[in-house]
Amino acid sequence: HTHVPTPPYLDERIDSLDAAIEWQDETVAELRLGAGDTDGEGTAQLGKVVETAAAHVSKELLKGYLPQLVDARRELLSREREQSAVRLQLAEAEERLRDQANSVELAEREFERRLAKQRQSAQLEKSSLLRQMRPAHPATSAES
């Protein structure tokens, strides 16, 4: 299976999603670092809040971007199918073109063969006519 380049708008969508996920990861990391400064039960509580917030943000991001990614992937697959169909049509057209070129070449050879045969036949006929026009005996033609 050949690699199909990703359309620019799809790259932009993927970059947006990557940036959003990166931001979310950084935010979670910062919250965890801040949680490490406190101690005891407050740390555990803050950790749960961070995890819950991170899960919620992740879900919201996925809800927002997943349909776009699914649509983009469907479009990419559709384009790949279209490209495959076009490649197949191109291969078929090339095959027809080769067949036509072979037919033309065959017709040219047949034409050359017939032309050579006609020339040979015309040359034989010309020689025959020239023999018929010559007198068989020079003495016979002088008497007439």
Side-chain angles (χ1 to χ4, degrees), residues 23-25 27-29 31-32 45-61:
W23 172 82
Q24 184 252 339
D25 289 344
T27 303
V28 168
L31 288 173
R32 282 189 179 145
Q45 188 68 22
L46 185 57
K48 288 180 184 176
V49 169
V50 167
E51 290 299 322
T52 304
H56 178 71
V57 170
S58 295
K59 284 180 185 176
E60 291 303 314
L61 283 173

Side-chain angles (χ1 to χ4, degrees), residues 91-120:
E92 290 171 351
E94 287 173 344
E95 183 65 27
R96 285 192 304 271
L97 185 59
R98 278 192 298 274
D99 289 346
Q100 290 174 351
N102 289 338
S103 294
V104 167
E105 187 178 322
L106 183 62
E108 286 175 344
R109 283 186 283 182
E110 181 63 22
F111 175 77
E112 291 295 328
R113 186 188 65 76
R114 287 182 182 175
L115 184 60
K117 192 173 183 179
Q118 286 178 350
R119 285 181 180 161
Q120 183 182 16

Side-chain angles (χ1 to χ4, degrees), residues 38-45:
T38 63
D39 54 332
E41 195 174 306
T43 302
Q45 188 68 22

Side-chain angles (χ1 to χ4, degrees), residues 3-106:
H3 173 70
V4 178
T6 309
Y9 63 89
L10 184 56
D11 285 336
E12 290 173 10
R13 288 181 185 173
I14 291 170
D15 289 344
S16 305
L17 181 58
D18 288 342
I21 290 171
E22 186 177 328
W23 172 82
Q24 184 252 339
D25 289 344
E26 289 172 1
T27 303
V28 168
E30 287 173 10
L31 288 173
R32 282 189 179 145
L33 283 176
D37 294 339
T38 63
D39 54 332
E41 195 174 306
T43 302
Q45 188 68 22
L46 185 57
K48 288 180 184 176
V49 169
V50 167
E51 290 299 322
T52 304
H56 178 71
V57 170
S58 295
K59 284 180 185 176
E60 291 303 314
L61 283 173
L62 285 176
K63 284 180 185 177
Y65 286 105
L66 191 59
Q68 293 175 7
L69 287 175
V70 168
D71 290 343
R73 181 66 183 150
R74 283 182 182 154
E75 187 174 332
L76 184 61
L77 289 172
S78 173
R79 287 181 186 220
E80 287 174 353
R81 279 189 225 109
E82 287 174 12
Q83 286 178 347
S84 293
V86 168
R87 278 190 218 103
L88 180 60
Q89 289 173 350
L90 179 61
E92 290 171 351
E94 287 173 344
E95 183 65 27
R96 285 192 304 271
L97 185 59
R98 278 192 298 274
D99 289 346
Q100 290 174 351
N102 289 338
S103 294
V104 167
E105 187 178 322
L106 183 62

